[in-house]
């Protein structure tokens, strides 16, 4: 065995009875308050986006749209984002889930300008009306994983502010994106 390999210990678990299994899966599959919170964002949105390629870079401004909807009986949320990014047509897709078992939100992001998937996990704070998500993504320049995080603030029911933070080549975090989303009326 490779001495650098990590050994995972398995813990034997007694096999639960079928009623316990059924109850657990039913709870896992049933949308709750977190899913109702997600559904509040369904609709069409206009987005004013500002991005920075690195700390101190000149800001780039873009306009985009998003269509957000619940899918699979309200268990997930899917969003399609469209616009122009750096003079080229852009389309991105995101999913958002609230995992009843892990008690956390999980988001994914893909777009037509990359081949990777960004996965972030986090929670929603009702007091501040803020989602805080963290994850890792591969840097296409260095081919190394780097940390990312985002903060989404619900300004009001028709306005959101998303701030994305990247890890620069110097290893320091910097704000690389800010999007103000306004619901189309």
């Amino acid at each position: 065995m490779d001495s650098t390999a990590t050994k995972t210990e398995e813990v034997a678990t007694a096999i639960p009875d079928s009623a316990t299994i059924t109850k657990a899966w039913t709870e896992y599959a049933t949308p709750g308050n977190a899913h109702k919170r997600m559904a509040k964002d369904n609709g069409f949105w206009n987005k004013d986006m500002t991005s920075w390629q690195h700390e101190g870079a000149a800001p780039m401004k873009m306009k985009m749209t998003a269509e957000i909807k619940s899918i699979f009986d309200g268990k997930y949320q899917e969003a399609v984002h469209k616009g122009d990014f750096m003079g080229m047509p852009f389309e991105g897709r995101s999913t958002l889930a609230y995992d009843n078992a892990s008690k956390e939100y999980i988001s994914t992001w893909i777009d037509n300008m990359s081949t990777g998937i960004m996965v972030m996990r986090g929670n929603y704070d009702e007091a501040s009306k803020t989602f805080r998500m963290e994850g890792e993504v591969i840097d296409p320049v260095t081919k190394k994983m780097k940390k990312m995080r985002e903060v989404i603030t619900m300004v009001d029911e028709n306005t959101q502010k998303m701030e994305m933070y990247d890890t620069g080549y110097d290893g320091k975090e910097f704000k690389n994106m800010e999007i103000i989303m306004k619901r189309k009326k």
Side-chain angles (χ1 to χ4, degrees):
M1 183 173 166
D2 181 358
S3 63
T4 61
T6 304
K7 184 178 178 184
T8 303
E9 290 188 36
E10 299 206 15
V11 178
T13 303
I15 298 172
D17 61 76
S18 62
T20 300
I21 293 170
T22 299
K23 182 179 184 285
W25 275 98
T26 300
E27 290 171 359
Y28 188 55
T30 303
N33 289 333
H35 300 90
K36 289 176 188 172
R37 163 67 212 94
M38 290 165 38
K40 289 180 181 180
D41 298 336
N42 291 345
F44 294 89
W45 296 79
N46 288 317
K47 298 167 54 174
D48 288 319
M49 180 176 144
T50 305
S51 70
W52 299 266
Q53 289 188 336
H54 55 81
E55 183 71 39
M60 296 180 287
K61 303 228 178 233
M62 291 140 276
K63 295 206 177 279
M64 296 194 179
T65 61
E67 178 184 1
I68 302 172
K69 63 183 178 181
S70 295
I71 59 173
F72 299 129
D73 299 321
K75 293 179 178 121
Y76 303 95
Q77 188 179 70
E78 177 183 62
V80 176
H81 308 263
K82 293 184 178 180
D84 288 316
F85 187 77
M86 297 178 8
M88 297 182 289
F90 176 83
E91 184 173 340
R93 292 182 187 260
S94 61
T95 59
L96 181 63
Y98 180 79
D99 188 313
N100 287 338
S102 67
K103 305 290 186 209
E104 67 184 340
Y105 288 91
I106 304 167
S107 71
T108 65
W109 174 264
I110 58 174
D111 61 52
N112 66 326
M113 294 188 167
S114 65
T115 56
I117 298 175
M118 181 170 54
V119 178
M120 301 186 98
R121 296 172 180 269
N123 289 294
Y124 179 74
D125 177 58
E126 184 63 42
S128 65
K129 307 265 188 249
T130 303
F131 283 96
R132 295 186 186 285
M133 309 286 283
E134 294 182 357
E136 289 186 327
V137 67
I138 189 84
D139 183 308
V141 177
T142 65
K143 312 295 189 273
K144 295 179 182 177
M145 295 301 286
K146 63 179 179 173
K147 292 184 185 282
M148 301 281 294
R149 71 179 180 95
E150 70 179 346
V151 177
I152 303 170
T153 304
M154 305 300 144
V155 177
D156 58 46
E157 68 179 38
N158 296 309
T159 310
Q160 296 180 12
K161 178 181 179 182
M162 188 281 278
E163 298 167 283
M164 180 74 74
Y165 297 87
D166 196 348
T167 302
Y169 297 110
D170 60 0
K172 295 178 183 173
E173 180 183 85
F174 72 99
K175 185 175 181 177
N176 74 321
M177 190 180 311
E178 181 175 297
I179 300 174
I180 304 297
M181 291 178 48
K182 299 237 181 229
R183 190 185 306 268
K184 288 184 184 180
K185 294 185 181 184

